[in-house]
Amino acid sequence: MKELNYPVKYAVLELKEIGGYSQGWEDITKGFIASKCFVLESKVKYLSDGTSKVCHKVVFPHRDFKAFKTALSIRNSIYIDERIIPQYDALSHPYPVNIVTDLFDTYEEAKEDAKIKNKELYRNLTRYLDIDYLVKNLDRINQEFAIEMELCNLFEKASLEETEDMVVSYDREIDKTIKKLKREKSNESIQ
């Protein structure tokens, strides 16, 4: 494999599965994990209300959660998909790209953000349920959610083991740019 010279950071990966008819064919979020990623682009998006939002285009090296779960249930073995590297289409647009709002220098920082997002996922899961249904099924809902979180954690662990050779970038231009973008964003929110 040719050497990639993209900056590497940690970010939070949203693990999704394709939803069926009952979900309106929309993807279903199963959980959030901390993962290394290749950083392709960072930019500031200015909004009409005067605020701004920093966005980063990244490529996560492993994200096939469905294949991971299938291998675990059928063969009772850990399977992690082949490493995904940034590709470019005929118009020089990168793929497969995820958009994230935060990049981290350490696993611990990314993991903390993933935990917050998983708590929000749980709240959203139970927020709109009928109170009687929720009371009757709370144990089952909690158990199913705990199983999904355990699967997400196994996927995270396998992905981190497979990306040990990816060294997180420090003292590069991206660090300066991200700090500058964050300062601009915090200065705007103060005003």
Side-chain angles (χ1 to χ4, degrees):
M1 178 189 340
K2 73 175 191 175
E3 185 178 337
L4 298 173
N5 204 19
Y6 295 104
V8 173
K9 292 290 185 184
Y10 285 98
V12 175
L13 170 61
E14 182 178 4
L15 296 176
K16 294 180 178 185
E17 290 182 2
I18 298 171
Y21 176 77
S22 62
Q23 289 85 22
W25 302 106
E26 296 208 12
D27 290 345
I28 303 166
T29 300
K30 295 297 186 173
F32 296 89
I33 65 166
S35 173
K36 288 181 181 173
C37 62
F38 300 105
V39 181
L40 306 182
E41 182 180 310
S42 297
K43 68 179 183 176
V44 179
K45 185 185 247 184
Y46 296 99
L47 307 174
S48 63
D49 64 358
T51 62
S52 62
K53 181 175 160 183
V54 179
C55 298
H56 310 279
K57 284 186 181 178
V58 301
V59 173
F60 288 102
H62 302 285
R63 61 184 200 181
D64 192 349
F65 188 54
K66 181 69 173 170
F68 175 82
K69 285 175 60 174
T70 301
L72 199 57
S73 67
I74 293 174
R75 296 190 309 248
N76 200 24
S77 65
I78 300 291
Y79 165 81
I80 196 78
D81 56 321
E82 189 174 320
R83 184 177 293 181
I84 300 167
I85 60 171
Q87 304 286 320
Y88 290 87
D89 65 17
L91 299 173
S92 296
H93 296 128
Y95 71 92
V97 170
N98 288 65
I99 307 294
V100 298
T101 55
D102 295 301
L103 297 175
F104 304 96
D105 289 329
T106 66
Y107 166 76
E108 291 76 21
E109 292 172 310
K111 184 65 176 175
E112 190 59 36
D113 195 41
K115 284 179 184 178
I116 292 167
K117 289 180 178 181
N118 282 324
K119 286 178 184 176
E120 183 64 25
L121 177 65
Y122 178 78
R123 279 194 294 276
N124 288 337
L125 178 69
T126 58
R127 179 175 289 154
Y128 300 108
L129 295 177
D130 177 68
I131 191 72
D132 292 331
Y133 178 84
L134 185 60
V135 169
K136 290 178 187 174
N137 296 288
L138 187 60
D139 288 337
R140 183 183 57 79
I141 292 168
N142 287 338
Q143 184 179 17
E144 288 174 2
F145 188 77
I147 290 169
E148 283 297 331
M149 288 298 101
E150 184 61 32
L151 290 170
C152 290
N153 289 332
L154 283 172
F155 183 83
E156 178 182 79
K157 182 180 177 194
S159 176
L160 289 172
E161 287 173 1
E162 286 292 318
T163 58
E164 283 181 348
D165 62 320
M166 291 175 60
V167 180
V168 175
S169 306
Y170 299 105
D171 299 325
R172 293 186 67 157
E173 195 62 35
I174 187 171
D175 293 320
K176 295 177 206 166
T177 304
I178 292 169
K179 286 176 185 171
K180 181 180 176 191
L181 294 174
K182 285 184 178 179
R183 268 196 313 272
E184 287 176 10
K185 185 177 178 181
S186 65
N187 287 342
E188 288 174 4
S189 62
I190 292 171
Q191 296 174 359

